Amino acid sequence: MTPLRLTGPNLALREVEPGDTDDLLAIYGDPEATRHLSFEPRTREQVEAITARSIDSAHATPRTEYCLAVTRRGEHRLIGYARLATEPQQAATIGFALHPAAWGKGLGTETVHLLCALGFDVLGLHRIWAARSPLNEASARTLLRAGMTEDGRIRDHVFVHGAWRDSITYSILEHEWASD
């Protein structure tokens, strides 16, 4: 396995490492950071398991899941977590979470761009899609700014905070990425 590293103007994506657990817990354990995600705040044990699973996924053959640390370019510390999971038909779903201190600075858009570069330029995918909470307007702006198109709504998609929640889906196709 060759460790994956993608670099953008302000950010980089790299493989998750055991030392990332505390920084990931600062995101996944934070009620504000997880308010619109498809799960409730995680415990340390749950984040340790996510870290271990992320490291294991990097060694899978074939590799179908890319769980990556988001860092500021030139730095090593995790400020976010990004995931691309491949599906049949040359497709993948993506998701990401950034530490609240990184919100509102365009870093979400750059994270989506880096995930699309992985999917289209490295993996040769045809379609990449993402889903967001209907209440997460910041995510809507991020996905649209990154070149994705709103596709529709999946009703009662996830059970979180004691209730079913819809998801709004977005996608981008390889020819749309290439013309970007």
Side-chain angles (χ1 to χ4, degrees):
M1 176 208 81
T2 303
L4 180 73
R5 181 161 182 83
L6 294 170
T7 304
N10 302 297
L11 298 177
L13 299 181
R14 64 164 171 78
E15 302 289 358
V16 171
E17 301 169 353
D20 291 328
T21 298
D22 287 340
D23 292 329
L24 184 55
L25 180 61
I27 300 167
Y28 277 8
D30 181 340
E32 179 62 17
T34 58
R35 180 169 45 126
H36 295 298
L37 298 182
S38 60
F39 55 84
E40 296 179 34
R42 304 289 195 191
T43 65
R44 169 169 286 287
E45 293 75 27
Q46 290 171 319
V47 172
E48 287 170 350
I50 291 166
T51 300
R53 217 170 33 251
S54 299
I55 293 167
D56 289 346
S57 74
H59 301 286
T61 305
R63 187 170 184 180
T64 60
E65 187 174 35
Y66 296 80
C67 302
L68 303 165
V70 179
T71 68
R72 292 189 186 280
R73 186 177 178 151
E75 297 180 14
H76 194 74
R77 184 173 186 179
L78 180 149
I79 63 162
Y81 183 81
R83 181 177 176 268
L84 180 147
T86 61
E87 301 174 342
Q89 303 298 324
Q90 293 179 274
T93 180
I94 61 170
F96 70 95
L98 297 174
H99 190 281
W103 291 357
K105 300 173 180 164
L107 301 180
T109 302
E110 187 171 341
T111 300
V112 173
H113 274 257
L114 288 169
L115 287 168
C116 287
L118 169 61
F120 294 125
D121 301 340
V122 177
L123 302 176
L125 299 177
H126 174 71
R127 180 177 188 272
I128 295 174
W129 72 279
R132 70 165 175 91
S133 161
L135 297 177
N136 192 345
E137 291 299 324
S139 183
R141 291 187 299 274
T142 294
L143 296 168
L144 291 170
R145 234 185 339 255
M148 298 186 103
T149 299
E150 184 176 324
D151 289 329
R153 178 181 294 259
I154 303 173
R155 298 180 308 142
D156 284 359
H157 185 220
V158 295
F159 190 81
V160 64
H161 302 293
W164 286 102
R165 188 204 79 200
D166 294 355
S167 292
I168 309 298
T169 62
Y170 295 76
S171 68
I172 186 169
L173 306 176
E174 64 181 324
H175 70 272
E176 295 166 337
W177 173 256
S179 65
D180 220 16

